[in-house]
Amino acid sequence: MWFIRDGCGIACAIVTWFLVLYAEFVVLFVMLIPSRDYVYSVINGLVFNLLAFLALASHCRAMLTDPGAVPKGNATKEFIESLQLKPGQVVYKCPKCCSIKPDRAHHCSVCKRCIRKMDHHCPWVNNCVGENNQKYFVLFTMYIALISLHALIMVGFHFLHCFEEDWTKCSSFSPPTTVILLILLCFEGLLFLIFTSVMFGTQVHSICTDETGIESLQRKKQPRRERRERRGSWKSVKETFGGDFSLNWFNPFSGPRHPKPLSDRDWVRQVSSVSDTENTETTTEEPSEEPKDEDFAEVVDE
């Protein structure tokens, strides 16, 4: 099982669960159970609990799923020789985890691993968001935004109802306690609705454009002539959510389409010109004579 032993991430994950359970407590025991409208309580209770369950299930899957870690320590001389590099080909080696980095992989200082298609490291799920768990992170942000919106709507209706009637009949708690609990829930719901809606939007945009957050930052720093253009496609969306559009897209227990195991050619990158290799720091010794084509099949530290 994949689990990151990071104190800050574990604390943030515990806080996430606590806040969801607090919302559950206020919704059930302050607003719905004391309500005299049985149909209203049952319908809203079922909807809220279903969304909360899906949010926590998505959180667990995002936290406990390998985001796409590259095998650690595979940058051995024997393995590199087995790739049989041709002129103009290079492999990029991560000096921190001693792994060969395939294209679009980045090193995470918290996970201490190179992650394929790494978008960012999220302390709230105590994990990187990468190739294998981005779907669960998107679902987590979506369901948290939905239960936050649902809670805010119910708080609004509850305040209107209590203003029209006696406050002592609105809740099994005292009026001051009820007001404090509802205000705290309102503040929590508003804060997380904004935060998770923004995260959900950025993740959907990242998937549709097939460009991770790290790649977007790198593209902005590069000169325009050196930028590598990426075109989003429906294929990348289907790969993230696991096939053609269906209800399984919204199911945290249904995984994304598993990528094929990395082949030998996935570890190798092609340099576009001689100057690309000359401007890169290498682990091989500098040739004393004029470089030849054969000199560009090498290992590059990145």
Side-chain angles (χ1 to χ4, degrees), residues 193-227:
L193 174 60
I194 296 173
F195 177 71
T196 55
S197 296
V198 171
M199 288 300 301
F200 175 77
T202 57
Q203 288 297 301
V204 171
H205 179 267
S206 172
I207 294 171
C208 292
T209 58
D210 193 24
E211 185 178 59
T212 66
I214 294 178
E215 291 169 347
S216 177
L217 293 174
Q218 290 179 338
R219 176 173 55 83
K220 293 178 181 178
K221 294 179 181 179
Q222 290 177 341
R224 184 173 298 274
R225 62 184 177 83
E226 295 181 5
R227 293 180 183 177

Side-chain angles (χ1 to χ4, degrees), residues 155-173:
V155 168
F157 278 114
H158 197 74
F159 268 120
L160 291 175
H161 175 70
C162 291
F163 279 130
E164 294 175 356
E165 296 190 9
D166 188 1
W167 274 86
T168 57
K169 298 179 181 179
C170 288
S171 173
S172 55
F173 296 91

Side-chain angles (χ1 to χ4, degrees), residues 11 18 64 108 120 158 167 188-189 251:
F18 171 79
L64 301 177
C108 174
H120 68 287
H158 197 74
W167 274 86
E188 175 193 341
N251 180 11

